Amino acid sequence: MPDVEGFWAVVPAGGAGTRLWPLSRAGRPKFLLDLTGSGRTLLQATVDRLVPLTSDRVVVVTGAAHAEAVRGQLPDLDGARILAEPAPRDSMAAIGLAAAVVERTDPDAVIGSFAADHVIPEVGAFHAAVREAVEVAREGHLVTLGVEPTHPATGFGYIRAGDPLAGFATALHAVEFVEKPDAERAAAYLASGEFRWNAGMFVVRAGVLLDLLGRWHPDLAEGLRAIAADPSRLDDLWPGLEKIAIDHAVAEPAADAGRVVVVPAPFGWDDVGDFASLSSLLPHGDGPVTVVGDAADVTSVDTEGLVVAAGGRRVAVVGLDDVVVVDTPDAVLVTTRARAQDVKKVVDALKASGRTDLT
Amino acid sequence: MPDVEGFWAVVPAGGAGTRLWPLSRAGRPKFLLDLTGSGRTLLQATVDRLVPLTSDRVVVVTGAAHAEAVRGQLPDLDGARILAEPAPRDSMAAIGLAAAVVERTDPDAVIGSFAADHVIPEVGAFHAAVREAVEVAREGHLVTLGVEPTHPATGFGYIRAGDPLAGFATALHAVEFVEKPDAERAAAYLASGEFRWNAGMFVVRAGVLLDLLGRWHPDLAEGLRAIAADPSRLDDLWPGLEKIAIDHAVAEPAADAGRVVVVPAPFGWDDVGDFASLSSLLPHGDGPVTVVGDAADVTSVDTEGLVVAAGGRRVAVVGLDDVVVVDTPDAVLVTTRARAQDVKKVVDALKASGRTDLT
């Protein structure tokens, strides 16, 4: 199939992934890592997945500290397509800057934003959904890909979908975005069948996104367009931009205004938020222990769980029925899949004790 | 108090301690390690504990491969007092050789054998028991120190004690030695109050030990005395010596012959057989995690257990209620105190896969 004319991918590459410590660090964030042992980092896999739709129309937005590493991992991407943020100003500024830059090149362009650190194994289904989303977006809608929930997750926001959108195969009107629910509400959302996970995959005409932003945050929209018009003003204007997430800045008010459409995302999706999530993504080998790295480095006896052998050392586990061991050259983590979310507390404790060299 | 005239300590320094892998290795056995973080290795602590009784009358018997390391750890000991076995030939040959060497120096000497890798925190009570044992041994008895059982252990042999021995404060006739029992029998032994652990602490005149040995294993007794008479014959005679434990060779038949006396050992004793045992020996610090090494290297969240930080790296544990983590430069072990005995299986697996470099 040919690529999708006039469609640009925007890849925000940010976030440290503190729940994946000690693999991920502030200086070596999740998106730069080959967590699944596929031979490609999450960033590279994200771009690989998009190129059949966009050809070379991919823009990556990342922190200045990581721009060099991103360039190194994406040698085929024109360096001008890698936008370096002087400092983090949340997702609206990052995606909005890319939208403004794309808008100047192609005023009718449709952009799609896809985080650099998510995993989508079923590429064919992903492509089909994005192709429909682009067609819907050309009509002026803000489209979000809605992931079918597989469990009552409390770590994601949800979108409530309504009636079908006339003229399209699967698209639905979006009723509202809702924030991360508690466990009880998450279970109710799952049971209702009306709710989908908001995976942050927005597809929209660049000009529409900036015009919608202009309705509710005019200074931010104007600042982003000013930077795109004169990139030399980036360092000057960036610090004054409003720090706000794209969901709050545009998606939620646009849904209230009836401007948002959901295209169902009938494919597996994972944000690799912690080691339990990583474990579930990996193919299970011969034994009850899933190994990332060289399985020959691991000796396990009566154990189930995940071992990441990234320290070049022998890792031996004996008699644990749910364990996560992550071995790296300067730190080793031991936890369980059940407690994987609390790995963040280790990073917090290290920061509190001044050991930012390890975070 | 003065030392005990004519009393010699024999310290067999052997055994790899595979249940303490990866701290202990074939080339770095348990007795050469400072497992408890006291600043002294188990071997050094054993000799420290004996010197007040023996002054310089200490003989260490160890494998040829470890003789250099033993000399390095015991710089105050005359090198001639460190006997190097050309190959392991079990405890009777090791202790018997020392007995034969001591017998030539002092025909009336009483020897006491004390393994180099056991822990006895209460030195005063130990000294008092040994002093009584030496007095009993001077009468021609084979004396064993019987440790009061604290739990129905299945990993030790037991001694059944009978009537008091006339003329001594605490000594009792020994009725029999029994092999390591199963759990049911161990519980019965504990309940009966008649049984004590055989900790391998034998006190006996050197000549009596060799004469008793001569009754049941004349070739072995003769070979040991021949080596003591002419040490140049060691390499020649050693390989032909019978390989047998002192319990089977002498202690059990001597008990049957009514020649064995038990002196109660009213002090804590531990053979540091595994990480559960090590954990129980260590002082508990501020938190629920006991740390060997630098506590500043360990970050724990909602965890109970033992962390050995010997790898110079950060060790982080999250959400485990019984965990043992042992970090060393080339290997990390994760297990539980409950499964500590099975660490041996890791060593077996490494050997089976040809990784003897790690064992």
Side-chain angles (χ1 to χ4, degrees), chain A residues 302 313 316 318 328 334-335 339, chain B residues 302 313 316 318 328 334-335 339:
Chain A
D302 297 343
R313 307 181 314 148
V318 178
T328 72
V334 179
T335 186
R339 292 297 296 271
Chain B
D302 296 342
R313 306 181 314 151
V318 179
T328 72
V334 179
T335 186
R339 292 297 296 271

Side-chain angles (χ1 to χ4, degrees), chain A residues 5-8 102-111 134 137-138 204-208:
Chain A
E5 202 184 338
F7 176 57
W8 292 66
V102 169
E103 182 189 37
R104 287 197 72 82
T105 305
D106 176 358
D108 292 324
V110 171
I111 62 165
V134 173
R138 290 199 204 279
V204 61
R205 277 177 30 207
V208 168

